[in-house]
Amino acid sequence: MSAGSGVSPTTVPASRIEISRRAYRSNLDLLRDVVGPGCAISSVVKGNAYGHGIGNIVELAEEWGIRHFSVFHAGEARAVLDASKKDTTVMVMGFLAAEEVEWAVENRVAFFVFDLGRLREARDVAGRIGKPARVHLDLETGMNRTGLSREDFAEALDLLQRSPDTLRFEGLCTHYAGAESEGNHLRVQRQIEVFEERTRTAAARGLRPSVRHTACSAATFSYPQTRMDLVRAGIAQYGFWPSQETRMRFLLQREEENGEPVPDPLRRVMRWVTSVMSVKTVEPGQFVGYGTSYLTTRRQRIATIPVGYGQGFPRVLSNLGHVVVRERRAPVVGVVNMNLTTIDVTEIPGVEAGDEVVLIGRQGDEEISVGWFGDITRMLNYEVLVRIPREVPRVVAP
Ligand SMILES: *Cc1c(COP(=O)(O)O)cnc(C)c1O
């Protein structure tokens, strides 16, 4: 093909991700049910919306009624604004470079402030461009990562008091050091106490933030007192529990309330699928693929899928992972290549080129769960999700 002809010869992606609108809405319904009507839900869409694609999720979330999004950095904030069709608030919880403060203020993007220098910067920028900076004071309450110390908080309050026109005290917030694990209970409890104490300090000086927010998904489920005015819900909206502990705790509590066991209410939003590229019969006693890691023990049917570690299918799944085809699990045999993976379909009659293959998600009664995928790759479910490459197209299905 001549250069510049403008048409790509390949229009079918090697794999794609399907996003279920129905599942996503159902998870937001659950969150609404859990937090009640008086609490706002911020949709956390950092990490390319936990691998689901920021544009898709912003669209679905706004359609459901979400008007608040949380991101890690300015690039993600911009992506939310680009996708947004509503009067939505975007909040940067993490990295905002000094050069980006003006952009944030100009575009009414709210941001966490965890040092005094940033607060002065925000005040100066806001004064110069004539728009208020929407600041959320992030408090050190015991995580020891970011957050204003008690002394810096006192000084931050001074600054807010002196600059009411440029600094809008929109939020007071913190983050818990592991609300998904019972083992951190005491530490989280102490963080809540410190946060309440700081709130009183501000109130005593007549300073009240528009919203107080501290809860991630785990805290939202397990610590009702942390929900306050707004929850920052990440993993749960995508249909995953922050941990097994959070899940069990929630299900047992609902069982107690209902007098009978309840089904797991979260629904996975994502399916990652590819299709069979070719199938062949291999005689007994033959090695499959590179090297000698897999030897056939009988006449076997080996199928190839066009996905390898180059497309985000981890190489540690060599001779270990499973996929689903024709509603049955098929083991990965041999090593995962850069762009190809071989699977054994001997026990699955009729497999042919073009058959859908599920890498993550459900097909019929079989499922490759993110949890299982994470267990064998030693990854957290969060990690599995964000590692799925951005190039994989995401499509919204009903
Ligand atoms: C990622 C993040 C959240 C959301 O956490 P989930 O466990 O995914 O709900 C909330 N707050 C902050 C500060 C975060 O970084």
Side-chain angles (χ1 to χ4, degrees):
M1 179 184 272
S2 64
S5 70
V7 178
S8 160
T10 307
T11 52
V12 179
S15 74
R16 66 176 193 281
I17 287 173
E18 293 173 0
I19 304 291
S20 163
R21 170 185 271 113
R22 199 174 300 139
Y24 183 71
R25 297 180 65 90
S26 149
N27 297 332
L28 287 177
D29 289 343
L30 173 74
L31 281 165
R32 172 55 69 211
D33 180 49
V34 167
V35 303
C39 177
I41 299 171
S42 179
S43 165
V44 180
V45 292
K46 65 192 181 190
N48 197 27
Y50 294 49
H52 292 70
I54 226 168
N56 292 326
I57 294 300
V58 167
E59 187 186 323
L60 296 186
E62 287 190 338
E63 199 180 276
W64 183 87
I66 295 280
R67 293 294 179 270
H68 199 286
F69 293 90
S70 298
V71 297
F72 177 73
H73 61 71
E76 294 168 337
R78 193 188 300 260
V80 173
L81 291 177
D82 286 347
S84 172
K85 296 191 186 73
K86 306 283 183 185
D87 185 15
T88 273
T89 293
V90 188
M91 178 171 78
V92 175
M93 306 184 292
F95 178 65
L96 190 65
E99 303 90 304
E100 294 167 332
V101 173
E102 181 167 338
W103 175 83
V105 175
E106 183 66 48
N107 289 279
R108 306 183 61 249
V109 169
F111 49 90
F112 279 27
V113 168
F114 33 79
D115 65 69
L116 294 169
R118 171 51 45 86
L119 198 57
R120 295 192 189 97
E121 220 166 32
R123 176 199 60 196
D124 296 346
V125 167
R128 195 170 69 242
I129 68 177
K131 285 188 182 176
R134 304 169 69 172
V135 303
H136 290 243
L137 297 186
D138 175 23
L139 301 183
E140 174 56 69
T141 56
M143 184 163 184
N144 296 309
R145 192 175 68 174
T146 56
L148 296 162
S149 66
R150 178 201 294 273
E151 298 73 28
D152 284 354
F153 178 52
E155 207 169 326
L157 292 176
D158 284 344
L159 277 163
L160 290 181
Q161 226 150 18
R162 286 201 301 267
S163 317
D165 298 333
T166 45
L167 297 177
R168 185 185 301 166
F169 188 15
E170 191 169 277
L172 191 62
C173 54
T174 195
H175 189 52
Y176 299 109
E180 71 286 350
S181 170
E182 206 57 49
N184 301 322
H185 183 78
L186 202 59
R187 189 168 170 203
V188 169
Q189 209 63 48
R190 290 209 174 112
Q191 287 190 264
I192 296 170
E193 283 159 25
V194 172
F195 189 80
E196 293 295 354
E197 196 262 328
R198 298 284 189 277
T199 303
R200 289 192 292 273
T201 303
R205 300 178 50 173
L207 287 168
R208 280 172 217 284
S210 313
V211 285
R212 295 194 313 141
H213 53 96
T214 65
C216 56
S217 299
T220 299
F221 288 120
S222 303
Y223 296 88
Q225 72 273 42
T226 66
R227 293 172 199 152
M228 304 179 195
D229 305 309
L230 172 145
V231 296
R232 304 185 303 259
I235 196 104
Q237 66 177 317
Y238 306 108
F240 303 97
W241 293 96
S243 67
Q244 278 301 332
E245 279 175 58
T246 310
R247 174 172 178 268
M248 286 316 297
R249 189 184 168 121
F250 180 81
L251 292 178
L252 289 173
Q253 192 185 319
R254 284 260 156 135
E255 180 176 337
E256 230 162 71
E257 289 161 10
N258 288 29
E260 56 178 341
V262 294
D264 186 333
L266 284 181
R267 297 175 56 186
R268 320 297 167 247
V269 169
M270 161 194 293
R271 273 173 100 237
W272 185 17
V273 301
T274 179
S275 55
V276 171
M277 193 173 92
S278 78
V279 191
K280 66 163 61 213
T281 301
V282 181
E283 295 302 319
Q286 297 291 314
F287 293 115
V288 174
Y290 287 121
T292 54
S293 79
Y294 187 82
L295 183 68
T296 55
T297 54
R298 52 188 170 140
R299 236 171 157 247
Q300 282 171 239
R301 294 284 287 166
I302 302 296
T304 308
I305 54 175
V307 171
Y309 57 80
Q311 284 95 356
F313 195 67
R315 194 167 175 279
V316 293
L317 294 175
S318 301
N319 286 311
L320 201 59
H322 283 171
V323 298
V324 182
V325 57
R326 298 209 166 210
E327 305 189 8
R328 307 263 303 272
R329 287 175 92 94
V332 170
V333 292
V335 294
V336 172
N337 303 172
M338 182 186 289
N339 301 116
L340 292 174
T341 298
T342 36
I343 59 177
D344 180 17
V345 295
T346 313
E347 300 293 333
I348 312 174
V351 172
E352 56 188 22
D355 283 357
E356 182 191 78
V357 176
V358 170
L359 305 172
I360 287 181
R362 183 170 281 282
Q363 191 192 62
D365 290 333
E366 274 298 348
E367 181 179 19
I368 304 296
S369 75
V370 168
W372 181 82
F373 197 97
D375 282 347
I376 54 173
T377 56
R378 302 183 46 115
M379 288 195 267
L380 214 52
N381 51 5
Y382 294 78
E383 191 179 353
V384 171
L385 294 167
V386 299
R387 274 171 176 267
I388 301 174
R390 271 157 216 269
E391 303 86 77
V392 177
R394 274 80 170 160
V395 289
V396 176

